[in-house]
Amino acid sequence: MDDHKENIHSADGNVNVSNGDDDNKLKEDSTVCPKEKEDAPRASNSDFSHAVYKEISLANGQINRMSKEELRLKLSQLKLDTRGVKDVMKKRLKSHYKKQKLAVATADDGQQADACYDYICVVDFEATCEEDNPRDFVHEIIEFPMVLINTRTLEIAGTFREYVKPELCSKLSDFCVKLTGITQETVNAAQPFPLVLKQAVKWLEEKELGTRYKYTFLTDGAWDMSKFLNMQCCLSQIRYPAFARRWINIRKAYRNFYKVPHSQIKLSTMLAKLGLQYEGRPHSGLDDSRNIARVALRMLRDGCRLRVNEQLHGGLLTPAPAWAAEEGAPPPRCPGNRR
Ligand code: AMP
Ligand code: MG
């Protein structure tokens, strides 16, 4: 369903994106759920000699020795989600005990998910394509969807979708229509990208994101921003929007959190390992975004600290620096024209 993100080739030289294989090229972002710290509570404002850390460590050891059936039984007794593969269940149970024990130790009610950002905005662009996209194929965005997650209530707070009229090559390939379900009539009736971007900015502003509320973007892989949006901005002769410079790549966060091997990470496997099924039509941008949001919500409920982990810096895809992880995106603004 989503292996294409490894298949799409880079644009030619006039579009400044990093070549190569999505997040293969990136080093692991040490700021996001680092392996060595994964099972231990965060040390900030804490003293690791506190007895609670020993208790958590003992509980983790016991959980590591549990069979899949024992894990399922325990999760069910605790009225927690019993779906997913063994590693997912282990992580869920560990997170539960960690939260519970720390809540007792700090007299916190332990109910709130880790909410660094008030909102996380999931984006999954659809773009023009051909079968086995040629190396120099220039993708134009044809669907711009967003799904907004409220990280406090763990609910979907709103959705946005606009189709986009491609300008360089206005005729969609049969392959593209079949893949995305987006028809020629739909894009003919749509507005060009700069106008759709304006609408998207307005929608984000109305939600008071970046002003009243702290927010960031989240995508499935790095391509949505580093490739599709970057390339589209070059084509539309507008600057890359500052508010979309950093984002959470959910594949990296998922891999680090549930300890899943790199090769297995794509939307269909992320869902399957959580015991969830894809809902809707694969390659519909809005349905893809909704399903990505379901994975993100499950991770937040399982105790994952979702943090910005990638960025476009000087036109190149790089891991986000540690200091940026806790920062929200700036207020949305329409970018100016390129000179
Ligand atoms: P996705 O988010 O998986 O729907 O993919 C985003 C975009 O990548 C699509 O709109 C297409 O432009 C391109 N794409 C996805 N899958 C393929 C594929 N199998 N072959 C060529 N391009 C693809
Ligand atoms: Mg998609």
Side-chain angles (χ1 to χ4, degrees):
M1 168 195 324
D2 34 14
D3 321 44
H4 74 284
K5 292 196 174 170
E6 281 75 40
N7 296 337
I8 302 169
H9 303 300
S10 298
D12 56 22
N14 60 15
V15 177
N16 196 11
V17 291
S18 63
N19 292 325
D21 180 11
D22 195 13
D23 43 27
N24 265 339
K25 274 191 82 177
L26 298 172
K27 281 187 271 153
E28 288 290 326
D29 181 356
S30 59
T31 64
V32 181
C33 306
K35 256 186 170 53
E36 69 274 16
K37 290 186 194 157
E38 183 245 352
D39 288 340
R42 302 280 144 165
S44 55
N45 305 324
S46 307
D47 172 5
F48 277 125
S49 64
H50 192 293
V52 71
Y53 295 101
K54 194 152 182 219
E55 279 180 38
I56 291 169
S57 162
L58 280 171
N60 286 343
Q62 282 169 4
I63 292 167
N64 282 339
R65 290 188 289 278
M66 287 167 85
S67 68
K68 197 169 174 188
E69 265 325 297
E70 288 169 328
L71 288 165
R72 208 190 307 277
L73 186 65
K74 190 41 95 188
L75 287 168
S76 153
Q77 285 168 349
L78 292 166
K79 301 208 173 357
L80 295 172
D81 193 334
T82 56
R83 290 172 296 182
V85 295
K86 192 174 175 188
D87 284 345
V88 164
M89 289 197 281
K90 260 195 213 172
K91 185 76 207 187
R92 187 171 297 142
L93 196 54
K94 285 178 186 176
S95 284
H96 170 80
Y97 282 124
K98 182 170 104 181
K99 222 195 251 177
Q100 197 187 48
K101 287 177 189 303
L102 284 176
V104 171
T106 60
D108 177 354
D109 69 5
Q111 288 310 301
Q112 189 166 304
D114 171 65
C116 171
Y117 316 102
D118 300 307
Y119 290 92
I120 293 178
C121 187
V122 180
V123 180
D124 186 84
F125 296 115
E126 297 305 322
T128 55
C129 57
E130 285 177 8
E131 193 154 17
D132 302 324
N133 298 298
R135 181 155 285 281
D136 57 355
F137 190 82
V138 179
H139 296 272
E140 293 181 80
I141 291 177
I142 53 172
E143 184 183 354
F144 191 150
M146 293 188 278
V147 169
L148 195 61
I149 296 173
N150 180 327
T151 63
R152 319 247 169 218
T153 62
L154 298 180
E155 283 166 352
I156 303 296
T159 58
F160 170 95
R161 164 154 76 187
E162 286 294 330
Y163 291 102
V164 185
K165 188 205 276 283
E167 294 194 283
L168 188 70
C169 177
S170 56
K171 171 106 176 65
L172 301 183
S173 67
D174 292 345
F175 175 82
C176 183
V177 172
K178 205 162 157 204
L179 181 85
T180 62
I182 300 171
T183 65
Q184 187 67 51
E185 295 71 45
T186 301
V187 292
N188 286 349
Q191 294 187 304
F193 184 77
L195 294 180
V196 172
L197 181 61
K198 253 188 197 159
Q199 293 182 46
V201 165
K202 188 162 167 263
W203 186 81
L204 294 164
E205 278 173 349
E206 281 166 7
K207 305 271 177 208
E208 299 183 86
L209 302 176
T211 46
R212 180 164 181 190
Y213 300 109
K214 193 167 159 187
Y215 79 114
T216 195
F217 290 93
L218 181 147
T219 57
D220 171 28
W223 290 115
D224 290 276
M225 302 305 198
S226 73
K227 180 136 191 138
F228 296 134
L229 182 59
N230 196 17
M231 197 180 271
Q232 183 64 58
C233 289
C234 290
L235 291 172
S236 299
Q237 291 289 303
I238 53 178
R239 288 171 189 273
Y240 186 92
F243 63 86
R245 278 206 188 285
R246 296 203 179 99
W247 61 89
I248 299 165
N249 175 340
I250 197 169
R251 294 186 185 194
K252 285 171 84 178
Y254 188 102
R255 190 168 71 225
N256 289 334
F257 186 64
Y258 293 120
K259 306 283 182 285
V260 178
H262 176 263
S263 57
Q264 292 181 8
I265 296 292
K266 52 186 180 177
L267 180 53
S268 54
T269 39
M270 287 194 283
L271 286 163
K273 282 181 177 295
L274 294 172
L276 303 173
Q277 289 200 328
Y278 188 96
E279 288 173 2
R281 187 197 189 289
H283 304 298
S284 144
L286 187 57
D287 287 350
D288 281 354
S289 304
R290 284 204 177 101
N291 283 281
I292 296 164
R294 290 170 66 218
V295 173
L297 283 167
R298 186 65 265 169
M299 292 174 73
L300 287 169
R301 289 194 185 104
D302 282 348
C304 179
R305 297 159 55 91
L306 284 173
R307 296 288 185 273
V308 156
N309 55 15
E310 272 181 2
Q311 64 176 3
L312 258 186
H313 188 68
L316 285 176
L317 177 63
T318 60
W323 57 263
E326 305 289 317
E327 269 191 9
R333 297 264 179 272
C334 273
N337 292 333
R338 276 173 196 249
R339 266 177 269 147

